Amino acid sequence: MSKMQFDCFDPSSRLLRFHDLHQGERCVIVCNGPSLNRMDLSFLRKEVVFGLNKIYLGLPKFGFYPRYMVAVNRKVIEQSADAFRKMNCVKFISDRGTDVLPEDALTYRIQTKDMTGRFYGDITRGVREGHTVTHAALQLAYFMGFRQVVIIGMDHYFAQSGPSNAELEMRGADPNHFSPDYFRGSKWDAPNLAESEISYRAALEAFSAVGREIVDATDGGHCQVFPKEDYRSFFGLKD
């Protein structure tokens, strides 16, 4: 069984206010793959949404606004600090970047450095990055009590990349994300898809153990860990 950490709440943590805040509800985690450009995302106005990393680049055209936002990568936080400050939603930021983006009324620090558990059901004690911000968002969703988590935009495929975890520089348009400007001219960390899948399996195990579910409704996504659904039929949308 994966190493999971649960129910040892830090009574002094600001994060406690989110525990079971959405018990029994559904949320949607919106990742940043190019598949988002093939979708009409206006239906998300009626959903509780977690946006990840540089989702702000797409909000004007996507037609929704996230309730929550999550970022754990130092480079992303540094590159996006000004945009994050302007976002009118609750933001969960790794302690890797709280010197750049300190806590305020809407910004909450989550401890992700040096966390050894595979999945944390108690985010007041920490959050495992698991080589993907999506895994951090899944731990937040678990802590908040969501019964069902639907993931979209998790293409799990990179047209341009390098050795796992290597620091790279994006020259020209970014083909890996919904916006060509996502990492254009910027440094970024190459993905580790194998390790990401290990993290996803730990998340699925944790949710399944308490009768909750994670569904992957990405349009054409390559990840095979979570049960698949077509987002159009799942959300009752017309073709």
Side-chain angles (χ1 to χ4, degrees):
M1 179 176 290
S2 301
K3 187 177 181 182
M4 295 180 280
Q5 309 262 337
F6 300 99
D7 299 334
C8 302
F9 301 130
D10 175 0
S12 66
S13 176
R14 293 177 71 215
L15 296 168
L16 266 180
R17 68 190 63 188
F18 297 104
H19 184 238
D20 282 346
L21 181 63
H22 295 280
Q23 189 171 19
E25 299 179 26
R26 176 173 76 189
C27 71
V28 181
I29 295 177
V30 181
C31 303
N32 297 158
S35 63
L36 294 181
N37 294 322
R38 299 194 298 267
M39 302 172 67
D40 178 356
L41 298 174
S42 59
F43 72 94
L44 291 175
R45 295 172 188 165
K46 300 178 181 179
E47 302 289 335
V48 179
V49 174
F50 284 82
L52 308 181
N53 289 344
K54 298 187 180 183
I55 190 63
Y56 58 84
L57 290 172
L59 296 181
K61 70 174 181 178
F62 290 155
F64 75 93
Y65 206 85
R67 176 87 61 92
Y68 302 108
M69 203 285 302
V70 189
V72 298
N73 181 275
R74 171 77 184 190
K75 293 181 178 66
V76 169
I77 297 168
E78 287 180 331
Q79 294 163 12
S80 307
D82 288 341
F84 288 163
R85 289 188 189 96
K86 296 174 183 177
M87 292 186 73
N88 187 26
C89 65
V90 172
K91 289 152 277 191
F92 297 101
I93 304 296
S94 167
D95 55 347
R96 295 184 187 279
T98 46
D99 59 321
V100 178
L101 194 68
E103 289 192 296
D104 59 27
L106 288 176
T107 306
Y108 292 78
R109 180 184 69 86
I110 53 175
Q111 182 179 344
T112 71
K113 289 190 294 186
D114 304 320
M115 303 309 297
T116 58
R118 180 59 69 176
F119 185 95
Y120 286 81
D122 172 13
I123 66 169
T124 70
R125 297 293 180 179
V127 173
R128 176 66 176 256
E129 293 179 11
H131 297 269
T132 166
V133 65
T134 307
H135 188 56
L138 285 166
Q139 290 160 87
L140 289 162
Y142 184 100
F143 184 76
M144 292 183 186
F146 286 102
R147 176 187 58 80
Q148 184 181 66
V149 179
V150 186
I151 301 174
I152 63 173
M154 187 176 68
D155 293 27
H156 203 62
Y157 172 80
F158 288 75
Q160 182 185 121
S161 188
S164 295
N165 307 317
E167 180 180 88
L168 306 173
E169 184 170 350
M170 184 65 68
R171 300 185 182 278
D174 185 341
N176 299 325
H177 298 90
F178 64 82
S179 171
D181 296 324
Y182 200 94
F183 281 125
R184 187 197 297 266
S186 299
K187 292 183 178 180
W188 64 294
D189 295 326
N192 188 328
L193 297 183
E195 284 293 329
S196 296
E197 290 182 3
I198 292 173
S199 298
Y200 293 152
R201 291 188 185 98
L204 183 60
E205 179 183 355
F207 273 78
S208 298
V210 293
R212 301 194 236 167
E213 64 177 331
I214 305 171
V215 173
D216 181 4
T218 299
D219 186 7
H222 291 252
C223 182
Q224 301 300 317
V225 174
F226 303 113
K228 296 280 194 178
E229 293 284 352
D230 179 88
Y231 82 95
R232 300 170 190 83
S233 58
F234 188 86
F235 289 100
L237 307 176
K238 295 180 180 179
D239 292 333

